[in-house]
Amino acid sequence: AANAAHELRTPLAGAIAQAQRLAAETGDADVAKRAGEIESALKRLTRMSERLLQLARAEGGPLLLDHSTDLRAVAGIVLQDLARLPWADRIVSHLPARPVLSDLDPDAFGIICRNLVENALRHGSPDEPVEVKLDEDGTFSVANGGPVVPPATLDQLANRFERGTATGDGSGLGLAIVAAMAERISTRLVLRSPRPGGKSGFDARLRLPVNPQGTAG
């Protein structure tokens, strides 16, 4: 999966560039529309290939290091990057004042953070905030508004290619990737709906390993 996804990167980028060029150069509105549709389809394939790379990382690569890093910094970088998305103004972050040191690979936590936040943005209510919270004990949670997810659906959301009742362009791999990573670091992805303390919405959380001494390893 990792090799195939990696090999797809260059031809997909080239095809997207050609579709964009066609849309820009044609004087035919119908052709420009079709070029835009091709570009959108290719971008969906690109996102899928990225998810396949993440899944291979979740299942195969080492996730714990022999030294600690501050998870707050990683979360900050991911959220700053996501801020460029048009609907990212809904993100509300709660990061602790003190460092949250962990031997979890920063890239692995970045994948976890990005997948949970993107999932919440994509499937949550568009007029309600997405709450991103990291506690000093390593608990990381992402909650969004929206209808209550039925228990039967909730139980299946972390399965591969499961998209519940969503009709958007998600890959159905985001929560599966997080669940696979959680299992490999001896924790569990917990999904709840409604959100704790509320009557609606969705909450995803897991407990990340932290350095109990509060010092870098």
Side-chain angles (χ1 to χ4, degrees), residues 21-208:
R21 182 175 180 180
L22 177 61
E25 293 180 351
T26 184
D28 187 317
D30 288 337
V31 172
K33 180 181 178 182
R34 288 189 178 185
E37 292 170 350
I38 292 171
E39 179 186 353
S40 296
L42 290 169
K43 286 182 175 179
R44 285 196 295 272
L45 285 174
T46 300
R47 288 192 291 271
M48 177 66 76
S49 70
E50 291 295 330
R51 289 294 187 270
L52 289 173
L53 279 172
Q54 292 178 1
L55 185 60
R57 176 79 171 83
E59 295 182 334
L63 300 184
L64 299 177
L65 305 177
D66 59 0
H67 61 274
S68 299
T69 55
D70 186 0
L71 296 182
R72 296 179 312 163
V74 181
I77 291 172
V78 172
L79 295 177
Q80 184 177 14
D81 185 53
L82 289 173
R84 296 180 294 180
L85 298 175
W87 17 268
D89 56 351
R90 293 161 47 204
I91 298 175
V92 179
S93 62
H94 304 279
L95 304 179
R98 298 174 57 187
V100 181
L101 298 175
S102 172
D103 60 357
L104 178 64
D105 187 322
D107 289 337
F109 178 53
I111 291 172
I112 290 171
C113 181
R114 177 177 292 275
N115 276 296
L116 291 183
V117 176
E118 285 186 345
N119 182 77
L121 288 170
R122 182 175 290 114
H123 301 300
S125 174
D127 56 355
E128 293 190 53
V130 169
E131 301 275 348
V132 182
K133 186 177 182 182
L134 175 65
D135 293 330
E136 291 188 14
D137 66 358
T139 300
F140 181 69
S141 64
V142 179
N144 59 268
V148 173
V149 180
T153 301
L154 196 66
D155 291 341
Q156 301 298 317
L157 284 182
N159 294 339
R160 296 184 190 185
F161 303 108
E162 178 62 49
R163 300 175 63 242
T165 58
T167 57
D169 59 356
S171 66
L173 283 173
L175 293 179
I177 290 167
V178 176
M181 286 186 161
E183 184 176 358
R184 290 194 55 217
I185 59 175
S186 302
T187 188
R188 186 168 66 96
L189 173 65
V190 178
L191 307 178
R192 295 183 289 186
S193 185
R195 293 174 292 180
K199 297 181 179 180
S200 64
F202 177 86
D203 175 89
R205 65 180 57 216
L206 68 164
R207 183 78 171 269
L208 303 172

